[in-house]
Amino acid sequence: MSEAATESEPVAFNPFEPGFFDDPYRQYAVLREHDPVHHSPLEVWVLFRYDDIVGVLRDPSLSVQIDNAAPTARMQMFAEQAPAEAQERGAHSILNVDPPDHTRLRRLVSKAFTPKMVHELRPRIQELVDDALETMAARGEADVIGDLAFPLPFTVISEMLGMPDGNRDEVRGWSHTLTKTLDPILSPEEVQAALVAANNMQAHIQDVLAWKRDHPADDLLTGLLAAEDGGDRLSEVELLDQVLLLYVAGHETTVNLIGNATLALLGHPDQLARLRTDPELDAGAVEELLRYDSPVQFSRRITTAELQIDGKTIPAGTFTLTCLGSANHDEARWGPTADELDITRPDAGQHMSFGNGIHHCLGSSLARTEAQVAIGTLVRRFPDLALAGEPERNGRVVLRGLESLPVTVGS
């Protein structure tokens, strides 16, 4: 897509465009200017402006429940390839239900997932980061993803939940395969791989839950098993779906956050130097790094009635994607420096990277804490941190991140 696109030259949301995964923000900028309420051939509408996105994410008339959507070719492909029980998997997580069920489930889950718990985890997070960096220092080189960005949040969420040790590599593979299903474009082979991964993950979680019932402890799984509100408890399917969501979301997005942030800092040595010399900037820097290259690029809603935006009519039952990455670079919100990285940006915390409205990310405080500790410690422990090769992008449209980020660390 040319940056000189005009009304006579149609623009389109096109993840297949060469260079998209290196820098999707150039394409978003063209769409913001020329077609910010975009009807995509992918059978979705896509929004690219900050104000439109905030409005949609906060609109209580919109839905996240798949049964409110009109059939699409993508849904038909799933229906043809997946048994009925597999199509229901995940449908009862807090991400995929509307009020009043969402309100009830979030209240129950929140009883076991509190800010106090996250605050008390900070010393353990610091210990895990320090251990990882010592191992990296001994080698003099590392992969930020494999050596820090993945094992840190995976270990933290596993310990929070009370999951037993083992299966780390298998679970990472299953999780990574499952999250591909969030993308708007899937091949039949990817659907089949996701079904296998989902079966394996479900069996794993069911085994853990059965063991946990006989071995309760001071952990999140025990809390979820016991969670009660006015006599209301999680059903078996609700429990399974919440644990699956927490287990996968509890590390996948934080992996991307730490990786994207580290790469952004390495590409902006002035900002890296500033952060390295001032630990007081850690919290604000993470907000700006979330804004600059969001680990979650899109959030979906489903219209339940015709929706008018900017003179266009989105029909009822339509998937509407809010481009969080575009909102985070919208000049109308962030001004002429929208595409620049500024770790002292005063309003960076107004980014959309954790969504907005009632489905705002439940684990945002945990992700922030992990990133603050990991990134701040990394850049100060290794003043000679530098790229050691070409980073490899994960090729994901929704969960933007890196497969590998090779660096030299000095000593």
Side-chain angles (χ1 to χ4, degrees):
M1 182 191 302
S2 168
E3 290 193 48
T6 66
E7 292 182 6
S8 61
E9 180 184 342
V11 297
F13 170 53
N14 179 17
F16 295 110
E17 182 182 44
F20 176 85
F21 293 108
D22 292 326
D23 180 11
Y25 301 103
R26 287 183 295 178
Q27 187 180 119
Y28 298 163
V30 176
L31 284 155
R32 266 198 317 275
E33 180 179 358
H34 296 285
D35 196 12
V37 183
H38 176 65
H39 188 199
S40 168
L42 302 175
E43 297 185 282
V44 296
W45 285 72
V46 194
L47 308 181
F48 290 93
R49 293 185 301 207
Y50 185 97
D51 287 346
D52 293 339
I53 288 167
V54 170
V56 161
L57 293 180
R58 292 180 178 176
D59 188 339
S61 74
L62 300 180
S63 175
V64 294
Q65 291 185 190
I66 192 73
D67 54 4
N68 283 321
T72 65
R74 189 178 188 277
M75 292 168 64
Q76 181 64 29
M77 180 174 66
F78 266 96
E80 291 172 353
Q81 297 197 47
E85 62 270 18
Q87 295 176 46
E88 282 293 308
R89 193 175 288 133
H92 300 278
S93 81
I94 54 175
L95 267 187
N96 295 319
V97 294
D98 300 328
D101 287 335
H102 174 268
T103 308
R104 179 180 65 84
L105 290 174
R106 188 157 181 134
R107 186 168 57 236
L108 285 167
V109 172
S110 296
K111 282 181 173 291
F113 197 93
T114 64
K116 179 175 181 289
M117 182 183 291
V118 173
H119 176 74
E120 292 173 349
L121 277 171
R122 195 174 187 108
R124 176 58 175 155
I125 292 169
Q126 185 69 63
E127 180 185 8
L128 290 168
V129 170
D130 290 341
D131 289 347
L133 299 194
E134 282 304 307
T135 301
M136 292 163 65
R139 295 201 310 267
E141 61 183 19
D143 174 9
V144 171
I145 305 304
D147 295 324
L148 176 64
F150 171 73
L152 170 65
F154 183 84
T155 301
V156 169
I157 196 63
S158 295
E159 291 182 356
M160 281 183 72
L161 285 163
M163 302 292 279
D165 292 334
N167 287 8
R168 173 182 289 190
D169 291 338
E170 281 186 311
V171 170
R172 182 185 185 185
W174 299 335
S175 173
H176 208 47
T177 300
L178 279 173
T179 57
K180 176 64 178 174
T181 63
L182 298 174
D183 280 4
I185 304 168
L186 285 177
S187 69
E189 293 75 21
E190 288 168 334
V191 173
Q192 285 302 313
L195 291 172
V196 172
N199 288 336
N200 288 329
M201 186 74 89
Q202 178 172 301
H204 175 60
I205 292 173
Q206 285 174 325
D207 288 345
V208 170
L209 287 171
W211 182 85
K212 186 62 64 175
R213 284 188 171 94
D214 295 330
H215 302 85
D218 183 18
D219 55 43
L220 184 51
L221 280 183
T222 302
L224 289 172
L225 285 165
E228 186 173 347
D229 189 87
D232 186 23
R233 301 175 74 105
L234 294 169
S235 70
E236 193 66 21
V237 67
E238 288 173 340
L239 176 65
L240 184 65
D241 281 357
Q242 305 330 303
V243 174
L244 178 61
L245 172 65
L246 291 170
Y247 201 22
V248 173
H251 70 271
E252 278 285 345
T253 53
T254 308
V255 174
N256 294 349
L257 168 55
I258 294 171
N260 292 355
T262 303
L263 181 59
L265 288 168
L266 289 170
H268 295 81
D270 59 325
Q271 300 295 303
L272 175 57
R274 195 166 186 179
L275 180 61
R276 182 174 283 136
T277 58
D278 189 355
E280 294 296 318
L281 294 177
D282 284 359
V286 166
E287 299 306 318
E288 172 67 352
L289 290 160
L290 278 159
R291 184 199 71 84
Y292 183 75
D293 196 9
S294 176
V296 181
Q297 293 280 303
F298 293 87
S299 182
R300 77 171 196 195
R301 294 293 186 272
I302 300 167
T303 55
T304 55
E306 285 189 353
L307 181 65
Q308 301 287 331
I309 303 179
D310 197 31
K312 294 188 177 180
T313 301
I314 303 177
T318 301
F319 284 103
T320 303
L321 299 183
T322 58
C323 185
L324 309 178
S326 177
N328 288 342
H329 283 248
D330 187 347
E331 301 87 343
R333 171 61 183 83
W334 306 101
T337 64
D339 288 329
E340 298 175 16
L341 180 65
D342 176 6
I343 62 170
T344 63
R345 190 183 297 273
D347 57 350
Q350 299 301 309
H351 62 76
M352 289 290 108
S353 299
F354 291 124
N356 208 295
I358 63 170
H359 290 281
H360 181 271
C361 177
L362 182 67
S364 60
S365 61
L366 176 60
R368 285 182 164 105
T369 300
E370 289 172 327
Q372 290 166 20
V373 175
I375 295 164
T377 308
L378 174 70
V379 301
R380 294 180 196 108
R381 175 67 175 80
F382 301 125
D384 297 321
L385 185 72
L387 281 174
E390 191 68 25
E392 180 186 352
R393 284 283 173 191
N394 65 5
R396 300 294 174 85
V397 176
V398 174
L399 296 186
R400 173 173 168 78
L402 295 159
E403 291 289 344
S404 66
L405 179 57
V407 295
T408 54
V409 300
S411 60

